[in-house]
């Protein structure tokens, strides 16, 4: 039986931040990679609670028929669904992980885990928190990211293109990890600011084996293997940082490895959007505002992964390019 919220009133609720929002986390939920909050914002924190009974009660009390806003399938098997109904909010279900109900304002997450999966809470940081951040006014991109020399560098691309490998290489070169998979952007007084997501980075076993002990240490604390990948958790989250560059990663056999794009369609950038479930007019306008600001800000580069170029070489190329651009700006 899950304790009622009043029974947890005196418990040590842990305060964290991720995707630009503060979080109060039920002490019974463990999520590797969340940064502890040092200075809370004036905005109320999002509550994350383990409460299957309350989740079920609220979903059954819905007053509108559920609308399926997202469905992910692998062949004939359904992997993930998101359904929306008033006033309950967004019900996320993920196979082998369980359910999370996200309130319509993003201020509360109720969790109903799959008891057979000790790693069930990964779905909270991988899917539920980005959705909550979107509901709270941020725009989350499906991107890996680091802060290097005070600026956020984001890497987008198809699954398997090498985003995590490049983020790891940039971290080894002195960058601080923003996220392995999703980064929240905020349009603040006309400027784009990037917020850290999960500080857990996952590398394929073959790639991890090629790293030296000091290179592994630069990635953070080793935190075991997840689905065949070695996980590292950074000790500290970087502060929110201004956007410095967005790199569209693709595998190619020809063309320059790094190509600044003088013009890019905002609709091409929409492909990097992380969340497809929130379809309110306010969110759609904000989404367009963010991608338009990216397109207009001289941030976007095409990054082509050649067969004979590894992530370390690409990270060096990015560092040299950003440093040279700084020199040109100063001139």
């Amino acid at each position: 039986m899950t304790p009622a919220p009043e029974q947890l009133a005196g418990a040590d609720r842990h305060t964290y931040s991720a995707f630009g929002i503060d979080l109060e986390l039920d002490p019974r939920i463990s999520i590797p990679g969340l940064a502890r909050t040092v200075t809370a914002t004036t905005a109320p924190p999002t509550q994350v609670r383990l409460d299957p009974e309350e989740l079920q009660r609220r979903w059954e009390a819905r007053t509108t028929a559920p609308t399926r806003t997202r469905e992910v399938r692998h062949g004939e098997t359904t992997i993930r669904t998101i359904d929306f109904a008033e006033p309950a909010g967004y019900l996320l279900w993920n196979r082998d992980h369980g359910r999370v109900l996200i309130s319509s304002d993003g201020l509360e997450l109720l969790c109903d885990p799959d008891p057979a999966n000790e790693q069930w809470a990964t779905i909270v940081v991988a899917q539920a928190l980005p959705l909550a951040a979107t509901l709270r006014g941020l725009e989350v991109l499906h991107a890996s990211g680091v802060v290097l020399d005070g600026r956020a560098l984001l890497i987008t691309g198809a699954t398997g293109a090498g985003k995590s490998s490049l983020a790891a290489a940039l971290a080894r070169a002195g960058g601080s990890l923003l996220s392995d998979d999703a980064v929240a952007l905020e349009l603040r007084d006309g400027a784009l600011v990037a917020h850290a997501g999960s500080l857990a980075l996952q590398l394929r076993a073959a790639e991890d084996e090629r790293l030296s002990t000091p290179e592994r240490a630069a990635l953070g604390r080793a935190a075991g293997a997840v689905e065949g990948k070695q996980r590292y958790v950074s000790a500290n989250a970087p502060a929110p940082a201004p956007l410095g560059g967005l790199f569209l990663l693709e595998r190619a056999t020809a063309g320059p490895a790094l190509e600044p794009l003088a013009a890019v369609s905002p609709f091409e950038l929409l492909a990097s959007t992380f969340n497809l479930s929130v379809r309110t007019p306010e969110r759609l306008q904000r989404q367009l505002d963010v991608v338009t600001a990216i397109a207009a800000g001289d941030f976007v580069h095409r990054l082509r992964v050649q067969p004979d170029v590894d992530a370390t070489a690409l990270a060096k190329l990015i560092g040299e390019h950003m440093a040279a651009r700084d020199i040109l700006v100063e001139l």
Side-chain angles (χ1 to χ4, degrees), residues 5 49 51-59 101 108 110:
R49 292 166 37 203
D51 199 337
E53 289 84 1
E54 180 63 11
L55 182 156
Q56 187 64 27
R57 187 194 69 78
R58 292 194 193 179
W59 190 246
L101 182 63
E108 189 173 29
L110 299 174

Side-chain angles (χ1 to χ4, degrees), residues 165-235:
S165 300
L166 184 52
L170 287 165
R172 297 195 302 270
S176 298
L177 183 69
L178 275 169
S179 181
D180 184 16
D181 192 54
V183 176
L185 282 179
E186 178 185 7
L187 195 55
R188 184 188 297 174
D189 298 326
L192 289 161
V193 177
H195 296 268
S198 169
L199 302 182
L201 175 72
Q202 295 181 175
L203 290 179
R204 293 182 178 87
E207 182 174 1
D208 180 64
E209 291 170 0
R210 289 196 292 267
L211 300 180
S212 66
T213 299
E215 287 175 327
R216 291 192 182 98
L219 299 180
R221 171 180 58 85
V226 179
E227 297 179 352
K229 296 180 179 180
Q230 177 61 46
R231 181 169 59 190
Y232 294 92
V233 178
S234 299

Side-chain angles (χ1 to χ4, degrees), residues 235-248:
N236 299 297
L243 181 64
L246 178 67
F247 298 88
L248 307 178

Side-chain angles (χ1 to χ4, degrees), residues 72-106:
V72 178
R73 301 178 66 87
H74 180 71
E76 298 298 317
T77 303
T78 302
I79 304 297
R80 182 184 311 128
T81 59
I82 299 177
D83 296 300
F84 174 75
E86 293 282 9
Y90 294 82
L91 182 63
L92 163 68
W93 169 84
N94 204 83
R95 191 185 68 168
D96 300 331
H97 290 80
R99 301 184 299 169
V100 181
L101 182 63
I102 304 100
S103 63
S104 296
D105 56 9

Side-chain angles (χ1 to χ4, degrees), residues 34 38 42 47 51 62 70 197 219 239 263 281 283 291 304 329:
L34 287 186
V38 177
T42 56
Q47 307 285 333
D51 199 337
R62 63 188 183 270
R70 181 72 167 149
L219 299 180
R283 188 279 169 111
V291 298
R304 298 179 176 89
V329 170

Side-chain angles (χ1 to χ4, degrees), residues 41-325:
T41 66
T42 56
T46 288
Q47 307 285 333
V48 185
R49 292 166 37 203
L50 182 65
D51 199 337
E53 289 84 1
E54 180 63 11
L55 182 156
Q56 187 64 27
R57 187 194 69 78
R58 292 194 193 179
W59 190 246
E60 291 178 350
R62 63 188 183 270
T63 58
T64 62
T67 300
R68 173 87 20 117
T69 63
R70 181 72 167 149
E71 183 171 286
V72 178
R73 301 178 66 87
H74 180 71
E76 298 298 317
T77 303
T78 302
I79 304 297
R80 182 184 311 128
T81 59
I82 299 177
D83 296 300
F84 174 75
E86 293 282 9
Y90 294 82
L91 182 63
L92 163 68
W93 169 84
N94 204 83
R95 191 185 68 168
D96 300 331
H97 290 80
R99 301 184 299 169
V100 181
L101 182 63
I102 304 100
S103 63
S104 296
D105 56 9
L107 285 171
E108 189 173 29
L109 277 65
L110 299 174
C111 303
D112 177 17
D114 182 339
N117 184 358
E118 294 182 355
Q119 303 290 334
W120 71 268
T122 56
I123 196 61
V124 176
V125 72
Q127 296 291 331
L129 288 179
L131 176 53
T134 303
L135 292 166
R136 296 202 58 180
L138 292 101
E139 192 57 42
V140 182
L141 297 186
H142 189 190
S144 298
V146 300
V147 173
L148 187 65
D149 296 329
R151 293 167 302 185
L153 306 181
L154 308 186
I155 308 130
T156 71
T159 301
K163 297 187 296 295
S164 298
S165 300
L166 184 52
L170 287 165
R172 297 195 302 270
S176 298
L177 183 69
L178 275 169
S179 181
D180 184 16
D181 192 54
V183 176
L185 282 179
E186 178 185 7
L187 195 55
R188 184 188 297 174
D189 298 326
L192 289 161
V193 177
H195 296 268
S198 169
L199 302 182
L201 175 72
Q202 295 181 175
L203 290 179
R204 293 182 178 87
E207 182 174 1
D208 180 64
E209 291 170 0
R210 289 196 292 267
L211 300 180
S212 66
T213 299
E215 287 175 327
R216 291 192 182 98
L219 299 180
R221 171 180 58 85
V226 179
E227 297 179 352
K229 296 180 179 180
Q230 177 61 46
R231 181 169 59 190
Y232 294 92
V233 178
S234 299
N236 299 297
L243 181 64
L246 178 67
F247 298 88
L248 307 178
L249 194 63
E250 61 182 41
R251 295 193 175 274
T253 57
L258 191 153
E259 179 185 6
L261 300 181
V264 60
S265 167
F267 294 99
E268 182 177 2
L269 299 177
L270 286 173
S272 299
T273 297
F274 188 86
N275 186 281
L276 302 176
S277 293
V278 182
R279 303 170 183 173
T280 64
E282 295 80 11
R283 188 279 169 111
L284 294 175
Q285 182 60 59
R286 184 181 70 243
Q287 186 181 33
L288 288 173
D289 289 344
V290 167
V291 298
T292 299
I294 295 172
D298 193 29
F299 295 116
V300 185
H301 304 71
R302 192 82 63 192
L303 193 62
R304 298 179 176 89
V305 182
Q306 311 283 357
D308 57 342
V309 178
D310 62 13
T312 300
L314 281 177
K316 181 179 179 181
L317 182 64
I318 290 173
E320 291 173 346
H321 171 75
M322 298 302 294
R325 195 167 72 165

